[in-house]
Amino acid sequence: MKRLHRVVVATAVLLTACATTTSAKAADPWSTAAADDTVIVDPTPHLTADQISFLREVAARTWRLLSGPGVDPATKLPLASVMLAGDPSTEVELAPATPAQQYTNPTLIGNYLSAIVAAKDLGLTTPEQAQAEAVGVLAEIRKLAKYNGFLFRWYSTTTGQAIQTPQGRPVKNGYVSTVDNGWLAQGMLTAAQAFPALSGDFHALLDAMQWDFLYNKKSNVLYNGYQVGRTYSDATYDNLYSGPRIADYIAIGSGKVPGALWWGLARTPPADHRQRQVPEGMNRTYTDPQDGKPYTIFEGHYSFDRIKFVPTFNGSMYQALAPAMVVPEQTLAPESLGLNNRNSALTQGAYAQFRAKTPVWGWSAATSPTGKQRYTNYGATALAINQGEVPDDVTTPSAAFLALPVIPELAFANIKQFISSFPMVYNQYGMLDGVVARKGDLAPRFMAISQTIILMAIDNAVDHDQLQGYFGASSYSKALFPYLSMERYSIHGLVGPGG
């Protein structure tokens, strides 16, 4: 309760008020946590020694997979997934990779580099061993086929050859995926900072990436990608609050794309655009720090459980929070992106409690535990822009870890609840990928995208956001960071009682 100034309150009234407040907090911790504008910029003090010890154990198990059976020994490239040989258990056997599973992509390579750095930070490997791992990945990236400095979408982990699809034939004309190369670039940038001896080699690869080639000047956004020998994709990345913003960060930071790209991205779609909610908010005008011109944007928001937030397309935690694993959004943008990260995580918890009725929360792309065990999009439906079908039957532990640096206490409780409710989700290699929370079915698979994110999130949670520091110390921060610090989103406070 707030301090009472110059007011004499009867004891009975005070006790009643305290009981009511305590009951409300217990009933709805999500809107209670969103009632003020507090943004956590260092998660580590919010975790106990026992909690940190447990997270380090999870990290050690996760690294056991990523540094061993999760990597193809032929190329040192990460396998996209690793299957179990039997049913989920607290001790599992892994199935050998089939030819159809021996593939990777630029996002996985970039995140694997960041995971190597996280393992070094966490003491799971020595600095010398970590650098040797990074050298192996660096050598392979140099050999992989490229276009304008960019990697293609898929590669065989056994041969390093670009392939048409994850299980496909070699490509003749490859596809350059913008978001995948954004994640690759962040991994190379992180490794360049973490291993100074390799900085020149990684920066040579970074410098070769021609981000202006993927820039749609007319619309002031990045293309989704480019099909070599044909043309650009029809779609563009026009929503700021999504996983592809990592590519926007890299493009601006590289200096090859003007910072004005920042203003071409929508915070929410316009109010007259077809979407799941009609956003509320206001127009704000900002002066661009590079060209000095004024830009007016709509600072809109959705709401759920009285919490205001800028949504992702599919109500996904990865789309919302993954870029914040490497870019210090909490510190640099406490009134915009940082606050929205907190609110997005809180609304996922509220969605589980009040809409999905599940014991755990955390929706992102994940493996379906049933049928053909497809890796597909899952989301918190009411939190999505997308009006189409957004299934919410599968939650993923990796999404719970993404929230650790943002709402550490609530996120840790959720991680423990995953293990308490579904004990066989956790084994000697870490956390399995997907859970049907209403039934208890578990996906018998580890996904590299999830495992690397878990390791990255733990590094930030227990090491004072150390992984974020590498991007902050890089040359890319000079052009980018002024944009992160400028805005004030319309997400402060709660929607009124009648909202």
Side-chain angles (χ1 to χ4, degrees):
M1 293 182 62
K2 296 180 180 179
R3 291 184 60 188
L4 302 177
H5 299 281
R6 303 187 184 92
V7 179
V8 177
V9 182
T11 302
V13 175
L14 181 59
L15 289 173
T16 300
C18 285
T20 301
T21 301
T22 301
S23 175
K25 287 183 178 181
D28 187 356
W30 320 107
S31 61
T32 299
D36 61 29
D37 293 344
T38 302
V39 172
I40 291 174
V41 297
D42 181 0
T44 309
H46 294 264
L47 297 167
T48 68
D50 286 345
Q51 290 171 335
I52 288 174
S53 178
F54 172 76
L55 291 172
R56 287 183 176 277
E57 176 193 296
V58 177
R61 295 187 182 197
T62 304
W63 181 241
R64 181 182 297 158
L65 179 82
L66 288 174
S67 61
V71 175
D72 194 313
T75 58
K76 306 298 183 183
L77 294 177
L79 294 162
S81 67
V82 177
M83 296 291 298
L84 300 188
D87 294 330
S89 174
T90 54
E91 289 286 331
V92 297
E93 291 187 14
L94 304 178
T98 65
Q101 294 171 326
Q102 292 169 326
Y103 67 91
T104 193
N105 86 337
T107 290
L108 303 181
I109 297 170
N111 282 12
Y112 180 55
L113 283 169
S114 291
I116 291 171
V117 174
K120 173 188 71 69
D121 293 344
L122 293 165
L124 303 175
T125 184
T126 66
E128 294 77 16
Q129 290 170 329
Q131 181 167 304
E133 295 277 357
V135 166
V137 179
L138 169 64
E140 197 60 36
I141 295 173
R142 281 172 162 170
K143 292 188 289 186
L144 297 178
K146 304 175 186 67
Y147 187 85
N148 275 351
F150 299 110
L151 293 190
F152 297 122
R153 177 174 276 175
W154 305 110
Y155 292 86
S156 164
T157 58
T158 57
T159 66
Q161 188 171 30
I163 52 179
Q164 189 72 31
T165 65
Q167 298 83 25
R169 61 187 181 279
V171 297
K172 293 182 179 179
N173 298 307
Y175 179 78
V176 173
S177 165
T178 301
V179 61
D180 283 325
N181 278 279
W183 283 111
L184 171 68
Q186 69 76 26
M188 293 196 296
L189 200 62
T190 298
Q193 294 299 123
F195 307 113
L198 307 181
S199 178
D201 294 323
F202 276 119
H203 273 284
L205 291 167
L206 287 161
D207 292 344
M209 301 174 87
Q210 302 304 309
W211 287 99
D212 53 328
F213 172 74
L214 295 173
Y215 177 46
N216 182 332
K217 296 180 181 179
K218 182 179 179 180
S219 300
N220 201 21
V221 292
L222 297 178
Y223 290 104
N224 281 26
Y226 179 77
Q227 182 66 56
V228 177
R230 296 183 186 176
T231 186
Y232 293 100
S233 58
D234 292 334
T236 56
Y237 291 123
D238 53 3
N239 285 326
L240 172 63
Y241 200 62
S242 188
R245 71 182 183 272
I246 193 67
D248 298 310
Y249 290 167
I250 294 293
I252 294 173
S254 73
K256 295 173 182 175
V257 171
L261 167 65
W262 191 257
W263 313 114
L265 304 167
R267 278 52 181 170
T268 62
D272 60 356
H273 190 277
R274 187 176 180 270
Q275 55 190 305
R276 198 170 289 273
Q277 292 188 33
V278 177
E280 297 186 12
M282 64 202 73
N283 289 324
R284 293 186 188 273
T285 300
Y286 299 94
T287 300
D288 186 276
Q290 287 185 12
D291 64 24
K293 297 178 181 179
Y295 292 86
T296 299
I297 58 174
F298 177 57
E299 300 276 21
H301 65 263
Y302 285 9
S303 63
F304 185 86
D305 188 32
R306 300 178 59 209
I307 303 169
K308 304 174 187 176
F309 64 99
V310 176
T312 64
F313 186 70
N314 276 332
S316 161
M317 285 282 274
Y318 185 90
Q319 296 292 313
L321 298 181
M325 295 303 101
V326 291
V327 178
E329 294 177 347
Q330 304 299 105
T331 301
L332 292 170
E335 294 192 303
S336 55
L337 285 165
L339 184 61
N340 199 55
N341 290 339
R342 183 203 70 172
N343 288 6
S344 295
L346 292 172
T347 54
Q348 288 247 337
Y351 181 86
Q353 181 172 345
F354 301 119
R355 185 67 60 87
K357 308 294 185 182
T358 52
V360 293
W361 51 271
W363 285 271
S364 285
T367 300
S368 169
T370 58
K372 294 183 179 180
Q373 297 163 353
R374 293 177 59 247
Y375 185 76
T376 190
N377 289 320
Y378 295 95
T381 309
L383 312 182
I385 294 172
N386 184 7
Q387 279 191 315
E389 181 182 358
V390 181
D392 67 357
D393 51 313
V394 174
T395 54
T396 175
S398 64
F401 281 87
L402 279 167
L404 264 176
V406 178
I407 51 170
E409 295 98 335
L410 290 167
F412 184 86
N414 187 39
I415 291 165
K416 293 293 284 188
Q417 188 64 46
F418 262 101
I419 298 172
S420 175
S421 298
F422 316 105
M424 290 184 292
V425 76
Y426 185 49
N427 55 63
Q428 77 269 32
Y429 294 110
M431 307 286 281
L432 293 177
D433 190 59
V435 178
V436 180
R438 299 182 185 97
K439 297 180 179 179
D441 296 335
L442 303 176
R445 180 158 75 158
F446 298 97
M447 296 297 297
I449 190 69
S450 300
Q451 301 304 307
T452 53
I453 279 293
I454 287 172
L455 206 58
M456 292 158 70
I458 292 175
D459 190 15
N460 282 322
V462 309
D463 269 343
H464 306 280
D465 283 331
Q466 183 165 348
L467 192 66
Q468 292 179 348
Y470 296 108
F471 196 108
S474 75
S475 59
Y476 280 51
S477 66
K478 184 177 180 180
L480 173 65
F481 282 8
Y483 291 91
L484 289 170
S485 303
M486 294 182 69
E487 293 182 65
R488 177 182 170 86
Y489 286 178
S490 61
I491 58 173
H492 296 250
L494 296 174
V495 174

